[in-house]
Amino acid sequence: MTQITEDSIRSAIQHVDWKGKNIVSDGMIVGMTFSQEEQGTKVNLIVEVEPGKNAELDELKKRIDDAIVSVDGVCASAVIFTAHKGGDHKHEHRSHDRKQAPEKLRFPNIQRIIAVASGKGGVGKSTTAVNLAAAFAQKGLRTGLMDADIYGPSIPRLMGLSGTLSQDDNGLVEPLERDGIKVMSMGFMIDEDQPMIWRGPMVSGAIMQFFKDGDWGDLDVLVVDLPPGTGDAQLTLAQSIPLAGAVIVSTPQDIALLDARKALEMFRKTDVPILGIIENMSYFECPHCREHTNIFGHGGAKAEAEKLKVPFLGEIPLDIEIRQKSDSGAPLTLSAPENTISAIYRAIADKIWTA
Ligand code: ADP
């Protein structure tokens, strides 16, 4: 089968212009991934465009699609547009300047937006976000879950959801839904195992679009799974989205806590209330003798929370069922609500909600 490369795709679409700009030479292509299907290669393309009318964008999409599928070996193409609206570009460049922080956007139909953050990847931030959203939904709250972790969008897998997001005539994007939880993720548009390469400012641009164009309806709570770390994208989000507060997930080791502290500092600087710290993978309980083993140490997050004078929300054990259930798309809190760990997630969700 013909080897598809970025260059071959770029040359296939190099004749496409949009509003006086060339989509290739003017750097409008901000992401390209490939996935192998039975019939050939599927090309996923993310293009940054000036906002335009839907009919015009449909026409542009068709031109790009046609050019891509004409390449030998390509069986399908998926084109996503991301657009900056309302001068977001300016915000990107000023994001470090507190005095000129962007104005917060307003989402009158969403009561509370709660960010789940971590100083680094792999600490169980997404798993925690999913289970907290499940716990909120079980409390009877109208719940949304937004995967802002566009570098590694794992929410579709963790929620056992697959499919593609569709836009209505007004350009609003319909979230997918499971157990009453409305879910949006870049993962519905690109493969999780295809690493996306984003130019810095595009990250917050793409995430912001989920907020602005998402057809969330009326929500009591929207849980946002932030990208790990404390870069510009997180900062812009913290400044532009009216967050009710942030929850920080950390493992107990010093090194993880050091990163968690940075995350906490970022929210403090942007006046986002810290709802508290969760210690994930806190201890291992032997399923046979019930003895606790502290694989990564234990209690570090609690001590840190006390030191930093922020609430400590609870400890989630390192547990095989959490891993198996979340990685197979059946979050524990949804699939085994009677499990003691599901009760821990619910207790944490209660504390967050009260706060
Ligand atoms: P992050 O969002 O911080 O990158 P994830 O939520 O994707 O982390 O979790 C990373 C891995 O750790 C996943 O395989 C997940 O199932 C597993 N995991 C998360 N929390 C726990 C836990 N408390 N016990 C066991 N495995 C966990």
Side-chain angles (χ1 to χ4, degrees):
M1 197 179 289
T2 326
Q3 177 73 22
I4 310 291
T5 62
E6 271 209 30
D7 283 345
S8 58
I9 298 302
R10 279 175 190 276
S11 60
I13 54 176
Q14 65 184 356
H15 61 279
V16 180
D17 293 325
W18 170 249
K19 297 202 169 180
K21 282 188 180 168
N22 181 270
I23 71 161
V24 175
S25 57
D26 288 314
M28 289 161 65
I29 297 168
V30 294
M32 193 189 307
T33 63
F34 304 118
S35 41
Q36 295 311 319
E37 317 257 311
E38 255 174 45
Q39 301 82 3
T41 303
K42 180 177 172 208
V43 180
N44 309 287
L45 199 69
I46 299 189
V47 185
E48 180 187 12
V49 291
E50 296 279 326
K53 295 201 186 83
N54 286 332
E56 292 171 345
L57 287 169
D58 284 347
E59 172 60 27
L60 174 64
K61 184 172 183 311
K62 189 171 178 310
R63 272 158 56 206
I64 299 173
D65 273 335
D66 288 349
I68 291 177
V69 294
S70 71
V71 175
D72 196 20
V74 172
C75 67
S77 98
V79 178
I80 311 160
F81 293 131
T82 71
H84 284 286
K85 290 179 190 165
D88 286 347
H89 270 302
K90 273 181 271 158
H91 299 162
E92 302 289 353
H93 299 300
R94 308 189 304 211
S95 57
H96 275 303
D97 187 345
R98 274 201 73 201
K99 279 187 233 103
Q100 295 183 45
E103 286 221 352
K104 295 226 183 225
L105 300 166
R106 288 185 60 240
F107 302 101
N109 51 339
I110 305 177
Q111 299 302 317
R112 301 265 187 280
I113 304 178
I114 295 170
V116 179
S118 68
K120 61 172 192 152
V123 299
K125 169 182 56 59
S126 301
T127 306
T128 307
V130 162
N131 281 289
L132 288 178
F136 284 132
Q138 285 171 347
K139 279 167 73 70
L141 298 170
R142 293 165 300 175
T143 306
L145 175 60
M146 195 179 97
D147 189 357
D149 189 351
I150 61 174
Y151 295 108
S154 54
I155 297 286
R157 175 175 48 87
L158 298 179
M159 285 293 283
L161 280 169
S162 60
T164 343
L165 298 172
S166 54
Q167 263 180 329
D168 69 12
D169 291 341
N170 301 315
L172 285 178
V173 180
E174 197 63 40
L176 300 188
E177 201 165 323
R178 165 166 187 185
D179 291 84
I181 304 168
K182 293 184 175 173
V183 185
M184 291 250 273
S185 168
M186 193 58 83
F188 295 132
M189 297 164 163
I190 52 166
D191 276 354
E192 186 189 4
D193 51 6
Q194 294 281 327
M196 276 291 304
I197 298 165
W198 294 89
R199 283 194 286 118
M202 280 312 302
V203 177
S204 38
I207 298 171
M208 221 60 93
Q209 195 152 13
F210 271 170
F211 275 104
K212 292 180 189 164
D213 297 345
D215 190 6
W216 293 103
D218 290 323
L219 291 182
D220 295 309
V221 59
L222 175 63
V223 177
V224 181
D225 182 21
L226 283 188
T230 50
D232 262 7
Q234 292 86 336
L235 192 66
T236 309
L237 276 177
Q239 286 176 321
S240 324
I241 303 297
L243 294 171
V247 172
I248 293 165
V249 180
S250 180
T251 50
Q253 310 97 303
D254 288 347
I255 185 78
L257 285 164
L258 199 75
D259 288 311
R261 220 172 293 152
K262 284 189 208 151
L264 200 127
E265 214 33 59
M266 178 185 77
F267 289 116
R268 279 204 169 142
K269 274 201 196 124
T270 47
D271 298 325
V272 173
I274 311 286
L275 299 170
I277 301 182
I278 298 174
E279 184 166 283
N280 190 35
M281 311 193 191
S282 185
Y283 55 89
F284 170 72
E285 185 182 88
C286 170
H288 309 293
C289 69
R290 300 281 156 212
E291 190 186 50
H292 284 196
T293 312
N294 300 327
I295 295 180
F296 300 120
H298 176 241
K302 188 170 189 193
E304 194 66 28
E306 276 165 16
K307 206 162 86 193
L308 299 167
K309 303 201 169 36
V310 295
F312 180 67
L313 294 170
E315 298 172 349
I316 299 160
L318 177 70
D319 183 86
I320 180 91
E321 265 199 288
I322 296 184
R323 201 206 59 72
Q324 283 170 342
K325 287 270 197 302
S326 49
D327 291 352
S328 66
L332 201 65
T333 314
L334 288 178
S335 61
E338 71 296 343
N339 190 298
T340 48
I341 298 170
S342 303
I344 298 179
Y345 282 121
R346 279 195 298 273
I348 294 177
D350 280 341
K351 279 191 197 168
I352 294 173
W353 194 245
T354 312

